Structures are given as C-alpha cells and as structure tokens.
Amino acid sequence: MSITIDFANPYDILDLLVLGREYYAELSPPNVSFDKDKVIQTMHRAIDGNKQSVLFISRDGDNTMTGYLYGGIGSHFYSNDRGCTLHSMYVSPKYRGGLSAIKLMHAFKRWGVKHNIKVFYFNVASAIRMEETDRFLQKVGFQLSGGNYVLNM
C-alpha cells in the first residue's frame, strides 16, 4: 500500500478531527475532555507557518488520511540547546503495522534536523498498545529514558 506524508493544510482539519476523536476514543478512561475548538486552534498554529511546531499527515493511495503527527521545538529548562518533542501521534487501527507511523516519524526527524535539533523526545502517556509502541520507537531509533506517570484529579 502506498503511503504519502505531507504537511497538513487547512483543508485537512475536518479529517484530522475525525482521527483525533478516534484517538480520544481509545483512551480508556479518558483523563481530559475533548475540546474541538482547542484542537482546531492547535492545528492552525502548526499549519499557519509557526516555525516552532509541525503537523504532518499520512494518506494512503486512495487519499484517505491514515494518521498524523504533531510536534514542536523548544529549549531545555537547563540549556539553550533545542529539542523536538512529539506531542501527539496517531495512526488509525486499520493502518497500524504498515508504513504510516514509520514515514510520519522519518518526516518529523528530517524536520527536526533541518531546524538544528540536538535531541528528540516522545513522551508516551496514552498507554495504548505499549509493547507495540515500545518496539516501534526502538525500531526508529529512540531509547527508553524514564517513564510517564499520571495523576487524575
């Protein structure tokens, strides 16, 4: 199956919202509310030329959106060195195990290198398919470093 990666544009927002709701439905139980307006606002910031964030989409040969990746650039608390943080990545269940996630991650890494990034971070807090996520992240070059903890109030 052919998978293409591109920067998201304003015409992609409705499809991105569908994927966002799919992702949200997999969170069990969800610990935060789904705010459509906040999601759209965040998408626009990444789409409208903000050089500190990026929103990639993946599509199959039929032009169906298969996934997305949203990330950003920031400096460390203790250094002026810049790093990339992958804030959200989702691939629709039908396309997992294929090329969507790999191609999204490679696009993100190329984008970060272009912006002189020294390190990439991907904090996994969703707890969706953790074993598969761990294998995937190691396959694309990440190393396990610490963990995530959540306290729901």
Side-chain angles (χ1 to χ4, degrees):
M1 179 180 304
S2 172
I3 297 292
T4 58
I5 305 298
D6 206 348
F7 292 99
N9 68 62
Y11 300 107
D12 296 319
I13 288 179
L14 292 178
D15 288 338
L16 281 161
L17 279 172
V18 170
L19 286 180
R21 288 189 187 280
E22 272 185 32
Y23 166 74
Y24 187 75
E26 282 194 66
L27 298 175
S28 181
N31 56 357
V32 294
S33 63
F34 186 88
D35 185 336
K36 175 183 159 189
D37 294 331
K38 167 68 173 174
V39 174
I40 291 171
Q41 179 185 35
T42 301
M43 289 178 193
H44 273 295
R45 266 199 319 273
I47 290 169
D48 294 340
N50 175 348
K51 303 290 188 231
Q52 300 301 305
S53 60
V54 66
L55 181 57
F56 288 109
I57 57 167
S58 57
R59 292 187 184 278
D60 69 9
D62 295 326
N63 208 32
T64 300
M65 194 176 294
T66 64
Y68 70 84
L69 183 152
Y70 168 65
I73 298 171
S75 63
H76 296 277
F77 176 75
Y78 50 85
S79 170
N80 286 319
D81 290 342
R82 295 167 5 124
C84 266
T85 299
L86 197 158
H87 298 296
S88 183
M89 180 175 173
Y90 181 75
V91 173
S92 190
K94 176 181 175 182
Y95 298 95
R96 292 181 187 159
L99 293 174
S100 293
I102 292 169
K103 287 188 170 189
L104 284 165
M105 190 64 76
H106 286 307
F108 184 56
K109 286 165 52 175
R110 283 191 303 272
W111 180 80
V113 168
K114 179 181 167 187
H115 288 86
N116 300 313
I117 298 307
K118 296 204 176 224
V119 65
F120 287 84
Y121 299 100
F122 188 2
N123 303 306
V124 181
S126 65
I128 298 172
R129 298 175 55 155
M130 289 303 299
E131 290 178 15
E132 292 93 338
T133 300
D134 179 57
R135 279 195 303 272
F136 167 71
L137 290 172
Q138 288 188 43
K139 181 179 179 177
V140 296
F142 283 77
Q143 297 174 357
L144 183 61
S145 175
N148 293 298
Y149 299 87
V150 175
L151 173 64
N152 291 317
M153 304 301 277

